[in-house]
């Protein structure tokens, strides 16, 4: 796959670069460039990112960072079975548990929420950092919802991190998930409160909390470029060609009326003459 000329491979994280040092330099550079493309495209073009990840995987399948990148690209493309296999391979290579929550979410994607809940209660969760533990809580709540256990999902999300006034990278997503679960359970007023709190914490637009809040408040947004939603007063203004056409029609009508008046006058004169002759 083509690599844009502005991609050098130096953009990757230094830890990943260090992993690639086990490869010949030319090969390491090629792998690095493909990993840069994965990171660049994964949000906007998951399928494109997946394609570059497959190239990197073909070149360096024994590098943990490559397996992890391939896992995330597959995950973003909703290829959950493939993603899970890559995450497991990366975990075997590194021995760390950082990928545990996303592996559990892959189980959800594969229609196995019970397995995700089993993973949420596994000892590996205690080895996660705070961000990882919050992520695991989000996955577990999602699994509860998959099983139709809305009340259990709400309870799962209730935590010190949710109650904290401190805004962390995970705060907006945690509050959003809680608000969404409340709304699904029919607790609209509480859901509105937590969507508002999610908006306050969402500094980078990672959720659509503002749209959900507006929807609950009955606010409708109109696309200024949408012709169907144009201002009715503006929509009633005729085009220039129509104005010209109407003007011509009015002039023609006026001329016709004048001709009729003239004919009427001439007719009256003729009538007067006939009267005089009589």
């Amino acid at each position: 796959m083509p690599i844009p000329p502005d991609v050098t491979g130096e953009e990757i994280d230094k830890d990943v670069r260090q992993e690639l040092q086990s490869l010949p330099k030319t090969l390491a550079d090629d792998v690095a460039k493909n990993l840069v493309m994965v990171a660049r495209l994964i949000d906007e073009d998951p399928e494109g990112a997946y394609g570059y990840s497959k190239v990197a995987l073909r070149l360096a399948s024994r590098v943990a960072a490559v397996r992890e990148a391939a896992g995330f690209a597959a995950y973003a493309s909703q290829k959950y079975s493939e993603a899970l296999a890559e995450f497991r391979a990366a975990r075997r290579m590194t021995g760390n548990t950082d990928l545990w929550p996303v592996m559990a979410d892959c189980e959800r994607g594969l229609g196995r929420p019970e397995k995700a809940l089993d993973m949420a209660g596994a000892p590996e969760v205690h080895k996660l950092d705070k961000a990882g533990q919050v992520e695991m809580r989000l996955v577990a709540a999602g699994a509860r919802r998959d099983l139709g256990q809305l009340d259990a999902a709400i309870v799962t999300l209730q935590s010190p991190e949710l109650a904290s006034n401190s805004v962390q990278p995970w705060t907006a997503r945690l509050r959003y998930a809680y608000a969404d679960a409340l709304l699904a359970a029919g607790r609209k007023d509480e859901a509105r409160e937590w969507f508002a709190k999610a908006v306050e914490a969402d500094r980078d637009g990672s959720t659509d909390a503002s749209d959900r809040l507006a929807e609950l408040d009955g606010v409708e947004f109109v696309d200024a470029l949408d012709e169907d939603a144009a201002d009715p007063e503006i929509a009633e203004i005729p085009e220039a060609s129509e104005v010209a056409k109407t003007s011509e029609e009015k002039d023609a009508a006026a001329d016709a009326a004048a001709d009729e008046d003239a004919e009427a006058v001439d007719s009256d004169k003729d009538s007067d003459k006939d009267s005089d002759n009589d």
Side-chain angles (χ1 to χ4, degrees), residues 45-97:
D45 182 12
E47 287 296 333
Y50 177 76
Y52 282 102
S53 75
K54 297 298 285 185
V55 175
L57 194 60
R58 186 173 66 250
L59 296 173
S61 62
R62 295 186 179 183
V63 176
V66 172
R67 304 301 290 264
E68 184 174 328
F72 277 110
Y75 177 78
S77 301
Q78 299 184 1
K79 298 175 175 63
Y80 298 116
S81 181
E82 189 173 338
L84 186 57
E86 296 301 338
F87 289 142
R88 284 173 174 168
R91 183 168 178 267
R92 284 195 300 269
M93 292 176 179
T94 63
N96 65 47
T97 59

Side-chain angles (χ1 to χ4, degrees), residues 182-204:
L182 289 169
L183 187 61
R187 296 160 62 174
K188 184 176 179 179
D189 291 341
E190 293 174 85
R192 190 204 175 282
E193 176 187 352
W194 281 97
F195 274 128
K197 291 181 177 181
V199 171
E200 293 174 359
D202 195 358
R203 296 169 179 172
D204 59 357

Side-chain angles (χ1 to χ4, degrees), residues 149-229:
Q149 302 171 0
L150 286 176
D151 290 339
I154 291 170
V155 172
T156 298
L157 293 168
Q158 292 171 345
S159 62
E161 293 80 17
L162 179 67
S164 175
N165 291 323
S166 174
V167 175
Q168 302 294 335
W170 61 76
T171 303
R173 292 178 60 240
L174 183 59
R175 292 177 180 179
Y176 181 95
Y178 188 59
D180 194 45
L182 289 169
L183 187 61
R187 296 160 62 174
K188 184 176 179 179
D189 291 341
E190 293 174 85
R192 190 204 175 282
E193 176 187 352
W194 281 97
F195 274 128
K197 291 181 177 181
V199 171
E200 293 174 359
D202 195 358
R203 296 169 179 172
D204 59 357
S206 61
T207 73
D208 64 346
S210 59
D211 293 340
R212 299 293 299 278
L213 182 61
E215 183 180 348
L216 286 175
D217 288 340
V219 177
E220 294 185 4
F221 296 100
V222 176
D223 188 347
L225 299 179
D226 186 352
E227 294 181 359
D228 295 334

Side-chain angles (χ1 to χ4, degrees), residues 50-149:
Y50 177 76
Y52 282 102
S53 75
K54 297 298 285 185
V55 175
L57 194 60
R58 186 173 66 250
L59 296 173
S61 62
R62 295 186 179 183
V63 176
V66 172
R67 304 301 290 264
E68 184 174 328
F72 277 110
Y75 177 78
S77 301
Q78 299 184 1
K79 298 175 175 63
Y80 298 116
S81 181
E82 189 173 338
L84 186 57
E86 296 301 338
F87 289 142
R88 284 173 174 168
R91 183 168 178 267
R92 284 195 300 269
M93 292 176 179
T94 63
N96 65 47
T97 59
D98 294 348
L99 296 171
W100 197 252
V102 71
M103 289 169 63
D105 206 38
C106 285
E107 296 287 0
R108 285 186 61 213
L110 291 169
R112 301 193 292 248
E114 296 90 348
K115 177 62 176 176
L117 289 174
D118 288 343
M119 294 179 69
E124 284 83 354
V125 175
H126 300 294
K127 300 176 183 178
L128 296 171
D129 60 13
K130 181 62 67 176
Q133 290 178 3
V134 171
E135 195 65 35
M136 193 71 249
R137 191 178 291 277
L138 288 168
V139 173
R144 291 293 184 189
R145 292 189 62 173
D146 293 342
L147 295 168
Q149 302 171 0

